[in-house]
Amino acid sequence: VEHLRKIAIKTETIPGLQFAKQLKRTTDKQQLAIAAVQLAEGLPAKGIVVITRRGIMADFVSNCRPFSTNIYAFTNMSQSRRTMTLNRGLFPFRIDFSSDPEKTLQTAFRILKEREHFHSGEKIVIISDVLAQQRVDSIQIREIP
């Protein structure tokens, strides 16, 4: 198992055949995912945080194949978390969403610090379509508090 882990870690650093450059950009969510990955890679950000219910936005971000930035998806649905474990470079977590979007983000930040060893002041890109009462897609640049 340790040998397979080393192989997986090594192959993840190889950019591959760059299929992500030919992604179809037919929906607003796909465009948003591409923009979030480009932003995170250009900063560079420590991670891309996706707040999602069903995991669709996380799937789009994972399809973009960020080369140097991991994706951390937060959902309030156990089934979505299990499904997202199949995505490349994506680390899913199940949390309870608050009616206050900032509380949801603070919970995600706390988990990143505790489980993924993020540090205060590190930049992250947040992409979400569930952080508002209405259907609002957004990308944010934040620092871990």
Side-chain angles (χ1 to χ4, degrees):
V1 172
E2 182 62 29
H3 190 63
L4 290 174
R5 185 179 90 62
K6 287 178 182 177
I7 292 171
I9 288 172
K10 179 64 176 173
T11 57
E12 289 289 321
T13 63
I14 300 170
L17 299 175
Q18 305 289 320
F19 289 127
K21 290 183 179 177
Q22 283 82 39
L23 280 177
K24 292 183 180 180
R25 301 162 185 206
T26 56
T27 69
D28 291 347
K29 289 190 185 302
Q30 289 168 326
Q31 291 283 7
L32 194 66
I34 291 166
V37 169
Q38 290 173 346
L39 180 62
E41 299 274 309
L43 285 175
K46 172 82 174 182
I48 300 171
V49 173
V50 183
I51 309 295
T52 181
R53 291 193 197 285
R54 295 177 294 154
I56 294 170
M57 185 61 79
D59 291 342
F60 287 147
V61 174
S62 181
N63 285 343
C64 295
R65 300 283 193 248
F67 181 67
S68 61
T69 310
N70 286 330
I71 306 161
Y72 302 92
F74 293 87
T75 182
N76 63 341
M77 300 172 67
S78 295
Q79 179 61 40
S80 297
R81 187 200 60 79
R82 288 190 298 272
T83 302
M84 287 188 287
T85 60
L86 300 174
N87 288 342
R88 176 188 179 275
L90 192 146
F91 302 93
F93 298 93
R94 191 206 166 285
I95 63 172
D96 292 325
F97 288 171
S98 171
S99 58
D100 179 3
E102 195 58 36
K103 286 183 181 177
T104 300
L105 288 176
Q106 293 305 318
T107 301
F109 296 157
R110 181 179 46 76
I111 289 172
L112 290 174
K113 288 172 86 172
E114 290 173 1
R115 297 186 193 173
E116 299 297 325
H117 308 293
F118 277 56
H119 301 288
S120 295
E122 290 180 316
K123 286 185 184 177
I124 56 170
V125 171
I126 300 169
I127 180 171
S128 176
D129 60 358
V130 296
L131 283 177
Q133 299 294 340
Q134 303 168 341
R135 302 281 307 166
V136 176
D137 298 325
S138 68
I139 299 176
Q140 299 178 23
I141 302 170
R142 301 278 290 261
E143 290 184 359
I144 298 289

